[in-house]
């Protein structure tokens, strides 16, 4: 299934994408794409619903973040060896973990706001992993059983605040609008192998990023198991799993960063596409 949320910011309704690519309203069935709806039982209930029996959503509504009431948005850094190389950093021996604040979450096609004074706002296409049921201290062999599904995340990053302003990465990763999520939550049964997905990103129609999740240093199952040893993961928590090479910071000889008015387009195999315009802060 491809689940989504649509409507004005803060008033999103749950929806389902039918086989014809039309949005069907799920608000008469579930309150949101969140909490217990993400469990195996909750998703099984939705699979029993005939999409043709659901109200069709007309027009061209805004698509919101595909998960509601996200508790934790957990980032993984330097998880592709070639990206670590372009960043001039060693390949990590354990996952590099940081936080993106949930206030950074926005819809997949919402504007991305460049922070006031920023000259180093960067892009990162990533595979997002949505947790479906609580897990703590699980082993890698069972880890994917706790995944509800997958989505696209643009891990937008302000490199000066991330790397030059002291402290940890979180500051540069957590500005408002720095986590476009969606367009869909694709349930795990539709993704045969999360380690065989192409990722790509373009800025103003120039392709900068092309990669595949098979080159991750730590795969999805490893990450879920590892993080479950650090914290309890709950339904609706999202893990954004790292980016392949091609970020603006890595362009040689001179890095390239986002400017107001530029457009990012990005996608992951089977998970749809995102389209964002970079805008200045008010």
């Amino acid at each position: 299934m491809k689940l989504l949320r649509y409507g004005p910011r803060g008033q999103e309704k749950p929806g389902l994408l039918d086989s014809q690519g039309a949005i069907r309203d799920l608000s008469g069935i579930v309150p949101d794409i969140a909490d217990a709806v993400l469990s195996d039982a909750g998703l099984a209930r939705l699979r029993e619903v005939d999409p043709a029996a659901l109200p069709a959503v007309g027009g061209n509504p805004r698509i919101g973040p595909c998960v509601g009431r996200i508790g934790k948005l957990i980032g993984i850094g330097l998880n592709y060896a070639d990206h670590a190389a372009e960043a001039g950093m060693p390949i990590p021996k354990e996952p590099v973990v940081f936080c993106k604040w949930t206030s950074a979450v926005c819809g997949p096609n919402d504007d991305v706001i460049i922070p006031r004074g920023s000259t180093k706002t960067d892009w990162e296409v990533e595979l997002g992993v949505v947790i479906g049921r609580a897990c703590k201290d699980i082993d890698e062999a069972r880890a994917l059983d706790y995944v509800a599904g997958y989505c696209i995340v643009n891990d937008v990053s302000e490199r000066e605040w991330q790397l030059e302003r002291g402290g940890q990465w979180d500051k540069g990763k957590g500005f408002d609008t720095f986590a476009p999520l969606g367009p869909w939550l694709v349930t795990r049964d539709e993704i045969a192998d999360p380690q065989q997905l192409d990722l790509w990103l373009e800025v103003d129609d120039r392709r900068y990023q092309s990669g595949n999740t098979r080159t991750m240093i730590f795969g999805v199952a490893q990450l879920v198991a590892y993080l479950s040893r650090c914290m309890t993961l709950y339904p609706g928590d999202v893990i954004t799993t790292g980016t392949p090479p091609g970020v603006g910071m890595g362009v040689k000889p001179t890095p390239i960063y986002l400017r107001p008015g530029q457009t990012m387009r990005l996608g992951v195999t089977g998970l749809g596409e995102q389209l964002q315009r970079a805008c200045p802060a008010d």
Side-chain angles (χ1 to χ4, degrees), residues 209-237:
Q209 291 191 274
S210 294
N212 189 285
T213 55
R214 65 175 171 268
T215 65
M216 281 183 181
I217 299 168
F218 306 102
V220 171
Q222 289 175 284
L223 292 173
V224 173
Y226 181 90
L227 292 170
S228 79
R229 297 201 297 271
C230 304
M231 64 195 83
T232 302
L233 297 172
Y234 291 103
D237 287 349

Side-chain angles (χ1 to χ4, degrees), residues 91-279:
I91 295 174
K93 296 179 180 179
E94 293 195 30
V96 175
V97 180
F98 60 89
C99 294
K100 288 180 77 79
W101 321 125
T102 55
S103 53
V105 173
C106 64
N109 305 318
D110 289 346
D111 291 343
V112 166
I113 307 302
I114 297 177
R116 184 172 289 106
S118 169
T119 59
K120 296 183 179 180
T121 297
D122 206 347
W123 55 81
E124 296 190 12
V125 59
E126 305 199 1
L127 172 66
V129 178
V130 180
I131 298 299
R133 56 190 175 108
C135 55
K136 174 69 174 173
D137 287 325
I138 60 171
D139 57 50
E140 187 178 325
R142 298 185 300 132
L144 295 186
D145 294 342
Y146 293 84
V147 172
Y150 303 94
C151 65
I152 304 170
V153 181
N154 189 352
D155 176 20
V156 185
S157 307
E158 210 295 333
R159 302 302 189 189
E160 179 183 353
W161 281 87
Q162 178 188 355
L163 301 171
E164 302 171 28
R165 300 291 291 263
Q168 301 190 14
W169 288 10
D170 303 8
K171 290 187 294 185
K173 295 284 191 174
F175 284 92
D176 292 354
T177 73
F178 271 26
L181 213 72
W184 318 310
L185 166 61
V186 180
T187 52
R188 74 171 188 268
D189 58 297
E190 292 201 8
I191 303 298
D193 184 354
Q195 303 308 146
Q196 294 293 330
L197 303 177
D198 291 328
L199 308 88
W200 56 271
L201 181 144
E202 298 173 350
V203 179
D204 289 347
D205 299 321
R206 175 180 169 182
R207 183 155 297 194
Y208 284 92
Q209 291 191 274
S210 294
N212 189 285
T213 55
R214 65 175 171 268
T215 65
M216 281 183 181
I217 299 168
F218 306 102
V220 171
Q222 289 175 284
L223 292 173
V224 173
Y226 181 90
L227 292 170
S228 79
R229 297 201 297 271
C230 304
M231 64 195 83
T232 302
L233 297 172
Y234 291 103
D237 287 349
V238 178
I239 305 164
T240 186
T241 57
T243 199
V247 299
M249 179 178 66
V251 174
K252 301 294 190 289
T254 305
I256 296 174
Y257 295 109
L258 286 170
R259 302 185 306 274
Q262 291 190 303
T263 298
M264 292 177 283
R265 189 169 72 95
L266 55 149
V268 178
T269 304
L271 305 183
E273 296 185 8
Q274 297 186 352
L275 181 68
Q276 298 115 25
R277 184 170 59 106
C279 294

Side-chain angles (χ1 to χ4, degrees), residues 16-20 22-26 46-57:
L16 179 150
L17 198 73
D18 69 18
S19 60
Q20 305 303 309
I23 299 174
R24 300 285 180 160
D25 180 23
L26 277 173
L46 292 183
R47 288 190 188 95
E48 294 174 354
V49 176
D50 178 8
L54 297 170
V57 177

